[in-house]
Every structure is written in C-alpha cells, then in structure tokens.
Amino acid sequence: TAASGYQFEFFVQDTDGIRITAAAGDTIRVAAGVSGAAGFVRCATAGAVVRLVAVNATEWVEMYQTGVWTVDV
C-alpha cells in the first residue's frame, strides 16, 4: 500500500522476470504509462532495475529504471 515517501527498488534476477503489483486502489506510473488500480508493471530483462516512490496514498511513480518495463494499462 502506498504512503507518501515510501520507496522500493526491484531487481530482475533472471529472464523468468518479475511482476510488481500495486495494492487495491493504488496505481504505478512508469514513463508515460500508468497502470489501472491494483495494476502491475513487469520486466523480463535480467539485470533490470526499477525504483518506485509513493508520491501520495495511492500513486507509485518510477524514479529510476534500467531495462524495459511494461505497464498493465
């Protein structure tokens, strides 16, 4: 669940990938894409990284990324 100031960094360990899912009512913005409520972002590029920061009680925003992250829109 988002709370202003929270931040998490995720690392993709292998090509099986990773999927990061927002809590109910929260969204995730990566570049120009924004997920739906309880949506997700995913990446299958080994070595990729994304840092998400909560800017308020419902929005996660990407502050740094490497690799290609896809947003569930």
Side-chain angles (χ1 to χ4, degrees):
T1 301
S4 185
Y6 279 12
Q7 57 182 301
F8 293 96
E9 192 163 282
F10 299 90
F11 171 75
V12 182
Q13 184 172 352
D14 55 38
T15 55
D16 287 341
I18 188 172
R19 177 174 152 162
I20 303 161
T21 305
D26 291 0
T27 61
I28 303 173
R29 176 181 296 275
V30 173
V34 179
S35 75
F40 62 88
V41 297
R42 59 188 161 87
C43 180
T45 305
V49 173
V50 67
R51 180 181 305 129
L52 299 176
V53 176
V55 295
N56 57 40
T58 60
E59 296 175 285
W60 292 96
V61 176
E62 166 261 318
M63 292 295 175
Y64 172 81
Q65 74 170 21
T66 64
V68 177
W69 292 84
T70 303
V71 178
D72 166 45
V73 289

